[in-house]
Amino acid sequence: LLALYRMVVASEGAAARANDAKGVMHLVTQHDPHASRTAALFARVLWYFAGNMALAYGAWNGMMITGSLAQALRSEIRSPDAARYFVVPSPWQRQLREVPRVIVSLEHAELRGAAQALLIH
């Protein structure tokens, strides 16, 4: 997030007002235009990556996004403009449109999922 923020600020010839991801998040809540553009860009990149991962792993039954950053940027990630980036230009666009997607609000969801997988095996 910080790297994206620095790129946005530099591309607009402005001075950075945050030195870490937490600072960027604070600026997002203050409606700083550079931080807001960063959050929107992060959301689009996240969905594009998720779409590629769905293709790579055949995740046709659904995609769950977890983590504290996803929770903090929930409104940006849920925006229709960002979510459309999940449908990666490919021969499988129709199938990707049908993949269920959700932001999961469960503390340490990734660890709980790994623990469940280990218990099964």
Side-chain angles (χ1 to χ4, degrees), residues 15-58:
R17 294 179 46 210
N19 296 319
D20 57 16
K22 196 173 198 176
V24 176
M25 288 308 306
H26 176 72
L27 291 173
V28 168
T29 63
Q30 301 299 309
H31 305 290
D32 175 84
H34 299 103
S36 295
R37 280 193 282 286
T38 299
L41 178 59
F42 177 84
R44 291 191 303 264
V45 169
L46 175 68
W47 280 123
Y48 190 81
F49 176 77
N52 275 287
M53 291 297 96
L55 287 174
Y57 291 102

Side-chain angles (χ1 to χ4, degrees), residues 77-96:
I77 293 170
R78 285 184 176 162
S79 82
D81 179 57
R84 71 182 174 87
Y85 282 84
F86 180 80
V87 181
V88 178
S90 69
W92 298 278
Q93 288 178 332
R94 185 179 54 79
Q95 291 91 335
L96 280 172

